[in-house]
Amino acid sequence: MTMREPDTDTDTDTVRSFQGLEDGRSSVRLRAALAVGTTPDPQFVDKLVERCAIEPDFYVRDMLTWALTRHPASLTVPRLVDEVRSERAQARSQALHTLSKIGDRRAWPAITRALLTDADDEVARSAWRAAVVLVPEGEEHELAEVLSAQLGRGGRETQLSLSRALIALGEVIVPALRAAATHPDPPVRAHAIATERLLRDPDAGFEFAIEEAKRVVALGENGREG
């Protein structure tokens, strides 16, 4: 009986992929992440998650996320849930983004109020997107209340992200928006009015909706639809 020789080609490919993920050239890192996702292997999960936390290139990060989605959720979700507690903002943000792409609702308990109100806008935006994907049936109203408390926050991109997240929850958001439309802070009122307008007319466009809402607020109206 002859003994099977070690698969040195596979070992070499594995080492090459590990090294490629840390290469100084983003094009090499991108190819390495693509290779790992094309032929998933459990031994890469930790490395992919670790790299997400520090990868500077957006396109490489996106490929790292894709590579993680190619691995079993039973392996990736627990590791990503740990990562959302990281002190590094990019680690939290990218882990949340990846969880939203995987879509496994077992991750829902990890989407805490602290993440939904994170001081870092990128983390908060990723948490909002993950939350509306993962929220269990029946808990949408509570999520809408938490998200609506963030109305008026940040610049255009942050406000657009929040509006999109709220709208994804559907009609359940209307009471929270109506309440926010009477908020003493004008930016909060305008954002609430604009979001409800977009809910009713998705084709209106955020810029148009927010500018119209600002005019409504300036005129002293409450912006409620009749």
Side-chain angles (χ1 to χ4, degrees):
M1 179 178 179
T2 58
M3 294 184 64
R4 182 178 179 273
E5 292 293 326
D7 191 345
T8 55
D9 288 342
T10 299
D11 292 342
T12 301
D13 289 344
T14 299
V15 170
R16 186 180 296 116
S17 293
F18 267 101
Q19 292 173 339
L21 290 171
E22 295 184 339
D23 195 276
R25 295 161 293 181
S26 61
S27 60
V28 174
R29 299 196 303 276
L30 187 68
R31 287 197 300 272
L34 174 61
V36 172
T38 301
T39 54
D41 187 323
Q43 68 181 315
F44 281 104
V45 169
D46 282 348
K47 183 66 175 179
L48 291 169
V49 173
E50 290 168 7
R51 189 66 210 176
C52 281
I54 59 174
E55 172 55 51
D57 187 278
F58 170 81
Y59 296 103
V60 178
R61 288 200 304 272
D62 216 36
M63 190 64 78
L64 292 168
T65 283
W66 173 77
L68 281 164
T69 67
R70 298 271 296 157
H71 290 77
S74 59
L75 297 178
T76 57
V77 169
R79 183 66 180 82
L80 291 165
V81 164
D82 286 341
E83 195 73 354
V84 301
R85 305 186 187 101
S86 171
E87 293 184 2
R88 186 188 292 269
Q90 182 174 308
R92 299 196 303 278
S93 176
Q94 200 65 24
L96 287 162
H97 173 66
T98 306
L99 286 170
S100 74
K101 295 297 183 183
I102 294 171
D104 190 318
R105 286 186 168 177
R106 287 176 294 181
W108 169 247
I111 312 301
T112 61
R113 183 182 293 265
L115 287 171
L116 293 168
T117 60
D118 199 284
D120 186 283
D121 283 347
E122 284 300 318
V123 175
R125 288 168 60 183
S126 295
W128 300 338
R129 289 191 293 267
V132 298
V133 170
L134 302 175
V135 61
E137 187 175 351
E139 296 189 32
E140 296 91 348
H141 176 76
E142 183 178 351
L143 177 58
E145 292 288 339
V146 176
L147 294 184
S148 65
Q150 299 293 297
L151 287 164
R153 170 180 173 165
R156 179 192 178 280
E157 289 302 317
T158 297
Q159 292 195 6
L160 176 57
S161 290
L162 182 57
S163 290
R164 285 174 172 167
L166 283 162
I167 289 167
L169 294 174
E171 290 292 326
V172 71
I173 69 173
V174 172
L177 293 179
R178 297 275 172 91
T182 63
H183 195 279
D185 188 2
V188 174
R189 294 204 304 276
H191 194 185
I193 293 166
T195 302
E196 183 169 0
R197 194 168 299 280
L198 284 172
L199 175 67
R200 304 300 181 201
D201 181 12
D203 295 329
F206 184 75
E207 292 292 348
F208 174 80
I210 197 70
E211 291 304 319
E212 184 177 354
K214 287 177 181 177
R215 287 194 294 271
V216 169
V217 169
L219 291 170
E221 300 175 15
N222 66 14
R224 295 186 180 182
E225 300 284 337

